[in-house]
Amino acid sequence: MTSYSWQVGDGIVQKLEVDFSAKRTAIYLTRWVGPTAEEEEKITILFTGVALQNFKDFSTFNLFSDMEEATDAKEFWHLYSDWLERNKNYQSRGVLENIAADTSLRYFSVEASHGVDGFIICKDLLISTQGKSRYYHS
């Protein structure tokens, strides 16, 4: 798995926005950086072309520890097999099969030291930090 910890780790979730019609999810973080941790850094994580997502364990304080990308669908399905099995009957017919067959999709796991955890399966990822934007392509 590829880790994005250095870009998002220790970020405190300020907002989570899900736009179902546009198939877009945005997570807004703030973290303290600098030699004395006095500088505030704003981070936006934007997932586009979202095919499936699940978030759990929300809290009043949500601290990111890591965000990882699976190298392929097989690695992701292995990690989330319990969730996928429990929820397969709650998905539209063929959704999971179509996702598994789509080689253009990317698989992300969101991990928190405290609070929100989950995953996102999507087409693309954009991480913006204080006016800097960088696409991360597989």
Side-chain angles (χ1 to χ4, degrees), residues 1 20 22 26 34-35 39 43 49 52 66 76 79 82 84 99 101 103 118 122 135:
M1 293 190 81
F20 292 106
E39 299 171 43
I43 302 165
L52 184 66
D66 198 4
F76 178 85
L79 291 171
D82 290 343
L84 293 163
I99 288 171
T103 58
C122 65
Y135 277 99

Coordinates of all heavy atoms in Angstrom, one line a residue, residues 1 20 22 26 34-35 39 43 49 52 66 76 79 82 84 99 101 103 118 122 135:
M1 N 0.8 -1.2 0.0 CA 0.0 0.0 0.0 C 0.9 1.2 0.0 O 1.9 1.3 0.6 CB -0.9 0.0 1.2 CG -1.9 -1.1 1.2 SD -3.2 -1.0 2.4 CE -4.3 0.2 1.7
F20 N -23.3 13.5 -3.8 CA -23.6 12.2 -4.5 C -23.8 12.4 -6.0 O -23.5 11.5 -6.8 CB -24.9 11.6 -3.8 CG -24.6 11.1 -2.4 CD1 -25.1 11.9 -1.3 CD2 -23.9 10.0 -2.1 CE1 -24.9 11.5 0.0 CE2 -23.7 9.6 -0.9 CZ -24.1 10.3 0.2
A22 N -22.5 14.6 -8.0 CA -21.2 14.8 -8.7 C -20.2 13.7 -8.5 O -19.1 13.7 -9.1 CB -20.6 16.1 -8.3
A26 N -15.1 15.4 -0.4 CA -14.0 16.3 0.1 C -13.8 16.2 1.6 O -14.8 16.2 2.3 CB -14.3 17.7 -0.3
G34 N 5.5 23.3 11.6 CA 6.6 24.2 11.9 C 7.4 23.7 13.1 O 7.0 22.8 13.8
P35 N 8.5 24.4 13.4 CA 9.4 23.9 14.5 C 8.7 23.9 15.8 O 9.0 23.1 16.7 CB 10.6 24.9 14.4 CG 10.3 25.8 13.3 CD 9.0 25.5 12.7
E39 N 2.3 27.0 13.3 CA 1.8 27.4 12.0 C 0.6 26.4 11.6 O 0.7 25.2 11.7 CB 2.8 27.2 10.9 CG 4.0 28.1 11.1 CD 5.1 27.8 10.1 OE1 4.9 27.6 9.0 OE2 6.3 27.8 10.6
I43 N -5.5 21.7 4.6 CA -5.4 20.6 3.6 C -6.8 20.2 3.1 O -7.7 20.1 3.9 CB -4.7 19.4 4.2 CG1 -3.3 19.8 4.8 CG2 -4.6 18.3 3.2 CD1 -2.8 18.7 5.7
G49 N -15.1 11.0 -8.9 CA -15.5 9.7 -9.6 C -15.7 8.6 -8.5 O -15.4 7.5 -8.7
L52 N -17.8 4.0 -4.5 CA -18.3 3.5 -3.2 C -17.4 4.0 -2.1 O -16.2 4.2 -2.3 CB -18.2 1.9 -3.2 CG -18.7 1.2 -2.0 CD1 -20.2 1.3 -1.9 CD2 -18.3 -0.3 -2.1
D66 N -3.4 8.4 9.0 CA -2.8 7.9 7.7 C -4.0 7.8 6.7 O -5.1 7.7 7.0 CB -2.1 6.6 7.8 CG -1.2 6.3 6.6 OD1 -1.0 7.2 5.8 OD2 -0.6 5.2 6.6
F76 N -7.2 -4.5 -1.8 CA -8.3 -3.8 -1.1 C -9.4 -4.8 -0.7 O -9.9 -4.8 0.4 CB -8.9 -2.7 -2.0 CG -10.1 -2.0 -1.4 CD1 -9.9 -1.0 -0.5 CD2 -11.4 -2.4 -1.6 CE1 -10.9 -0.3 0.1 CE2 -12.5 -1.8 -1.0 CZ -12.2 -0.7 -0.2
L79 N -8.5 -6.6 2.4 CA -8.6 -5.8 3.6 C -10.0 -5.6 4.1 O -10.3 -5.5 5.3 CB -7.9 -4.5 3.4 CG -6.4 -4.5 3.2 CD1 -5.9 -3.1 2.8 CD2 -5.7 -5.0 4.5
D82 N -14.6 -8.5 5.1 CA -15.7 -8.6 6.1 C -16.8 -7.6 5.8 O -18.0 -7.9 5.8 CB -15.2 -8.4 7.5 CG -14.3 -9.6 7.9 OD1 -14.4 -10.7 7.3 OD2 -13.6 -9.4 8.9
L84 N -17.4 -5.9 3.0 CA -18.1 -6.2 1.7 C -19.0 -7.3 1.8 O -20.1 -7.3 1.2 CB -17.0 -6.4 0.7 CG -16.1 -5.2 0.3 CD1 -14.8 -5.7 -0.4 CD2 -16.9 -4.2 -0.5
I99 N -17.5 -2.6 -9.9 CA -16.4 -1.9 -9.2 C -15.2 -2.8 -9.4 O -14.1 -2.3 -9.8 CB -16.7 -1.6 -7.8 CG1 -17.7 -0.4 -7.7 CG2 -15.4 -1.2 -7.0 CD1 -18.3 -0.2 -6.3
A101 N -14.5 -5.0 -11.5 CA -14.0 -5.2 -12.9 C -13.4 -3.9 -13.5 O -12.8 -3.9 -14.5 CB -15.2 -5.6 -13.7
T103 N -10.8 -1.4 -13.9 CA -9.4 -1.2 -13.6 C -9.0 0.2 -13.5 O -7.8 0.5 -13.1 CB -8.6 -1.9 -14.7 OG1 -8.9 -1.3 -16.0 CG2 -8.8 -3.4 -14.8
G118 N -12.5 4.8 7.5 CA -13.3 4.4 6.4 C -12.5 4.1 5.1 O -11.3 4.0 5.1
C122 N -12.5 5.3 -5.9 CA -12.8 6.4 -6.8 C -11.9 6.4 -8.0 O -11.0 5.6 -8.1 CB -12.6 7.8 -6.0 SG -10.9 8.0 -5.4
Y135 N -1.9 16.4 -8.1 CA -2.6 15.2 -8.4 C -1.7 14.0 -8.2 O -0.5 14.1 -8.5 CB -3.1 15.1 -9.9 CG -4.3 15.9 -10.2 CD1 -4.3 17.2 -10.7 CD2 -5.6 15.3 -9.9 CE1 -5.5 17.9 -11.0 CE2 -6.7 16.0 -10.1 CZ -6.7 17.3 -10.7 OH -7.8 18.0 -10.9

